[in-house]
Amino acid sequence: MRVLLRSFQQQGDQRIATERGLIGERLTIGRGTNQDVYTPDLRAALAHAEIVHDRRGPLLMSKTANGVWVNGSPVENAKLEKGDVIEIGRFRLEVLAVGGVPELVLGYEERLTQAADIQQRKASYQTRLDQTGLSLRRLAWGLMVLMLLVGLLLPLGLRYGSSHAGDSPRERAAGQRANPLDDSIWLSGPVSSAHRYFVEDCAACHEKPFRQVRDSACMACHKDMKQHSDDTAMLSHPVFAGQECTDCHREHNGTQGINAQSLTLCTDCHADPDKEFASARLPPASSFSKAHPEFAPRVAVFDAKGGRFMFTKQREAPAQLREATNLVYPHDVHLNPKGIDSPEGKVVMKCADCHQPDSRGVSFEPVNMEKHCASCHRLDFDPDDPARELPHGRPEQIQGVVRDYYYAKALQGGVGVGKAPAVVRERRRPGETLPPGGARAALDWADARAHQTMVDVFERRTCHYCHQVQRSDDPAMPWTVAPVNLQEHALDGARFDHAAHKAQDCGDCHAADKSKISAEVLLPDLNSCRDCHGDTGSTSQVPSDCTLCHRFHIAETHHFGGMPATKLPATHPAVPPKAPAAVPAKPEPAKPAPAQGKKP
């Protein structure tokens, strides 16, 4: 991503602008001196935010729990458009242009000097007595009455009015805590980190004094929050009809969050879902450690008739899960601890060589031939010209590429192949033409050599090593290659953060070093999770309530690589609408292909 940063400074009556160009995957913003945009303000974190570029355009992502102010509103992330204003402390960034070259133009300005900013904030905290409408005398009398009431009369009433003869100390203490006039009602408690950026604006949540927070106050910010189901009939059930936001989310209970941690909020329904929601066809779940269904991922199934990938949910045991990939890839061969052959000798591969975390750290970037395979599995086809390679993913173009290559060699001459006719072996001067008989013999040799090369490419090496290939009756495309689907299994209604588990070795959960076929999903079973995670209140394991993996509000499907975290499509977008008939699976090789590069 290319960014033009235009800094503005006020010097006297003139506004001076300086420009600086930046190139990189992301633009970092914060108080740290290593940030691309330096904002030395104590209200900014060391790494406060960053801007990345995806297919939708520039995307601002907050790196702190407090969010970032964009156009006067706090957000966690936002797609940037021309005219958007980002405010971080006393610094102001304006999007001047989006798209084109460079992809992003930002204006950067310090609105106030540090001294002026401090002075302005101090002045805003001061309130003069004449602004309150009170005189000193009335204020003194009012404060005296308030001190008598709060400091003397109210404590006396609570002390002698809420206890009863014969009550135990524990019962008296419980009665005082339950008393609605207890002085704890004035102690709001710590605000959660998610709401701390407007901690001084009580009216943002408490729309009316001395009234419980209403749903309308929550929805003012969380207007895009989805319900627990997209079934309107289910939402009209009494279990959901009377629910309010505050039934699950309680503020002023600490900085860690406002989600209720009680398992019963989920298990009241999910322990026996058929009792109230039989039509939902949900398996019972009352405890993660003892009564929880196995993972049910949505995996790819290849429709041979239509030539497309479909996705279906499977509830098989994890070791039995299979997905259609149409790829020949034995993990155990590539993860051999003794290494695999390569032009540079033995190479010991690791999971991270192919599975690289995405920008969020939750899932992984797609695996592709050019980045992860081409260093070993080269696409050259003529030993005399190893730099010439075939186009990957375009089998329909290979026949034309190979024939054109050998036609050119036959007509140019100088081919050092023993069985080639003399007219092909002879060197010719540039521009020299062949007699009709010689040209025909040269082209016949080129046709035969091209055919033999394509047989070798499709049936013996190159395509044959990794793909399912079948001959066809179409002279324009004598071979068909089955379309490939990579790592697009997904979990509905659940999420898993790989970044939170980066201290674990991949093999602790995924038995890839023992996998011999690419169709194995390699999803761990629940017992792998139970080794570390226990129920809420566990003292020997990580306490894990339902919301650690499941959101109450329905979210988008969570993918484990290959696809972005968007709604799962019914068909695979990368597969053409028409494809050859079913390609019979062939046994995967017990040994890797002969090395032609650094690593597969």
Side-chain angles (χ1 to χ4, degrees):
M1 179 177 66
R2 290 164 292 186
V3 180
L4 179 63
L5 187 62
R6 188 171 294 163
S7 301
F8 298 97
Q9 291 183 341
Q10 194 71 29
Q11 296 183 2
D13 297 332
Q14 294 184 339
R15 194 165 180 250
I16 308 300
T18 58
E19 295 183 345
R20 177 164 61 105
L22 298 170
I23 299 177
E25 294 183 356
R26 61 194 70 244
L27 180 75
T28 58
I29 306 171
R31 183 162 48 89
T33 56
N34 61 339
Q35 302 295 296
D36 297 326
V37 180
Y38 179 49
T39 56
D41 190 304
L42 292 178
R43 287 166 290 183
L46 295 176
H48 197 83
E50 63 182 21
I51 299 175
V52 299
H53 193 279
D54 63 3
R55 65 181 184 278
R56 298 176 297 172
L59 181 66
L60 174 69
M61 298 193 305
S62 172
K63 303 294 286 184
T64 69
N66 296 336
V68 182
W69 287 81
V70 177
N71 299 328
S73 300
V75 298
E76 291 184 4
N77 55 70
K79 179 185 176 184
L80 296 178
E81 303 286 353
K82 182 179 179 181
D84 287 346
V85 175
I86 305 169
E87 294 179 311
I88 302 177
R90 65 179 188 277
F91 294 89
R92 180 178 185 271
L93 284 82
E94 182 178 0
V95 179
L96 302 179
V98 174
V101 179
E103 288 84 359
L104 180 64
V105 179
L106 281 178
Y108 170 78
E109 183 178 14
E110 185 178 11
R111 297 182 295 105
L112 296 170
T113 64
Q114 183 176 7
D117 183 46
I118 293 174
Q119 187 64 31
Q120 186 181 78
R121 281 187 287 154
K122 285 184 176 179
S124 65
Y125 298 151
Q126 297 176 356
T127 302
R128 299 189 307 274
L129 186 62
D130 59 353
Q131 294 176 319
T132 65
L134 299 174
S135 66
L136 286 175
R137 184 178 297 276
R138 285 183 298 193
L139 178 61
W141 279 105
L143 289 176
M144 185 186 71
V145 173
L146 180 62
M147 290 175 64
L148 286 174
L149 177 63
V150 176
L152 180 61
L153 300 180
L154 184 59
L156 286 174
L158 294 175
R159 173 64 180 84
Y160 295 104
S162 60
S163 61
H164 303 279
D167 287 348
S168 67
R170 177 177 296 181
E171 291 171 339
R172 289 197 299 270
Q176 290 180 358
R177 286 195 298 270
N179 194 315
L181 295 179
D182 185 32
D183 58 358
S184 63
I185 62 174
W186 307 110
L187 304 175
S188 57
V191 176
S192 65
S193 56
H195 293 161
R196 186 165 297 180
Y197 63 93
F198 60 89
V199 64
E200 296 182 3
D201 185 11
C202 300
C205 296
H206 303 278
E207 297 175 325
K208 292 187 177 181
F210 305 105
R211 290 192 60 178
Q212 186 177 1
V213 175
R214 297 181 295 179
D215 286 354
S216 59
C218 302
M219 299 306 294
C221 292
H222 303 279
K223 55 181 178 296
D224 296 328
M225 185 64 67
K226 297 182 179 181
Q227 298 293 335
H228 190 52
S229 172
D230 51 10
D231 187 344
T232 55
M234 182 177 292
L235 293 177
S236 62
H237 193 279
V239 172
F240 299 109
Q243 277 198 332
E244 297 182 351
C245 300
T246 53
D247 291 340
C248 299
H249 305 288
R250 300 294 180 90
E251 188 50 278
H252 297 289
N253 286 321
T255 61
Q256 298 304 313
I258 61 173
N259 293 332
Q261 303 297 316
S262 174
L263 281 178
T264 58
L265 288 173
C266 303
T267 57
D268 283 349
C269 293
H270 285 271
D272 186 9
D274 291 342
K275 182 178 179 180
E276 300 285 352
F277 307 102
S279 61
R281 300 179 182 178
L282 297 172
S286 58
S287 167
F288 177 73
S289 63
K290 299 177 181 178
H292 191 286
E294 271 290 357
F295 300 124
R298 194 178 295 273
V299 300
V301 177
F302 185 58
D303 178 14
K305 184 177 180 180
R308 302 181 72 84
F309 288 98
M310 310 295 289
F311 294 84
T312 61
K313 181 178 290 188
Q314 296 187 14
R315 288 196 178 274
E316 303 290 339
Q320 305 300 322
L321 285 172
R322 298 292 184 267
E323 63 181 343
T325 63
N326 291 344
L327 189 69
V328 181
Y329 184 87
H331 276 87
D332 61 338
V333 172
H334 292 80
L335 293 176
N336 190 334
K338 296 180 180 179
I340 58 175
D341 294 330
S342 77
E344 298 179 358
K346 289 287 186 180
V347 174
V348 179
M349 293 190 64
K350 298 179 180 179
C351 300
D353 292 336
C354 297
H355 301 285
Q356 299 167 350
D358 60 14
S359 58
R360 301 174 301 153
V362 175
S363 188
F364 296 91
E365 297 289 351
V367 176
N368 62 70
M369 166 69 179
E370 291 75 12
K371 184 176 180 181
H372 302 103
C373 310
S375 57
C376 265
H377 297 275
R378 292 175 54 90
L379 300 179
D380 59 301
F381 58 93
D382 190 340
D384 295 332
D385 189 3
R388 186 66 180 266
E389 295 190 343
L390 298 170
H392 182 259
R394 300 288 185 271
E396 69 279 0
Q397 298 179 5
I398 291 179
Q399 184 171 231
V401 170
V402 174
R403 283 182 175 174
D404 289 347
Y405 174 79
Y406 284 111
Y407 283 163
K409 293 195 68 172
L411 296 176
Q412 291 172 2
V415 176
V417 179
K419 294 183 180 180
V423 68
V424 176
R425 296 197 306 270
E426 294 174 353
R427 293 187 178 276
R428 286 181 284 278
R429 294 187 297 272
E432 182 179 353
T433 59
L434 291 174
R440 183 68 268 169
L443 295 179
D444 288 343
W445 172 86
D447 282 332
R449 186 61 187 274
H451 177 74
Q452 182 59 40
T453 298
M454 287 187 289
V455 171
D456 187 43
V457 166
F458 280 105
E459 298 184 5
R460 299 190 181 96
R461 65 180 189 90
T462 316
C463 304
H464 172 79
Y465 290 139
C466 304
H467 296 276
Q468 297 181 13
V469 182
Q470 183 178 353
R471 279 184 177 261
S472 71
D473 297 329
D474 185 0
M477 191 175 177
W479 292 271
T480 58
V481 180
V484 172
N485 169 64
L486 288 177
Q487 293 181 319
E488 296 195 358
H489 51 274
L491 285 178
D492 293 342
R495 65 185 188 275
F496 180 85
D497 188 349
H498 278 88
H501 297 78
K502 61 183 179 181
Q504 296 291 121
D505 185 82
C506 301
D508 292 344
C509 300
H510 307 286
D513 58 340
K514 297 180 179 61
S515 174
K516 298 183 180 298
I517 58 174
S518 58
E520 291 182 330
V521 177
L522 298 180
L523 190 70
D525 59 14
L526 274 178
N527 289 329
S528 298
C529 304
R530 288 167 175 160
D531 288 342
C532 298
H533 294 272
D535 293 328
T536 303
S538 174
T539 58
S540 59
Q541 294 176 301
V542 179
S544 307
D545 66 329
C546 301
T547 58
L548 183 66
C549 301
H550 306 280
R551 294 186 183 276
F552 177 86
H553 302 278
I554 59 174
E556 296 165 335
T557 301
H558 182 89
H559 296 265
F560 290 106
M563 294 181 65
T566 55
K567 188 176 182 180
L568 188 67
T571 56
H572 190 295
V575 180
K578 293 183 179 181
V583 181
K586 62 176 181 291
E588 302 191 6
K591 296 181 180 181
Q596 298 177 357
K598 294 182 180 179
K599 60 183 179 181

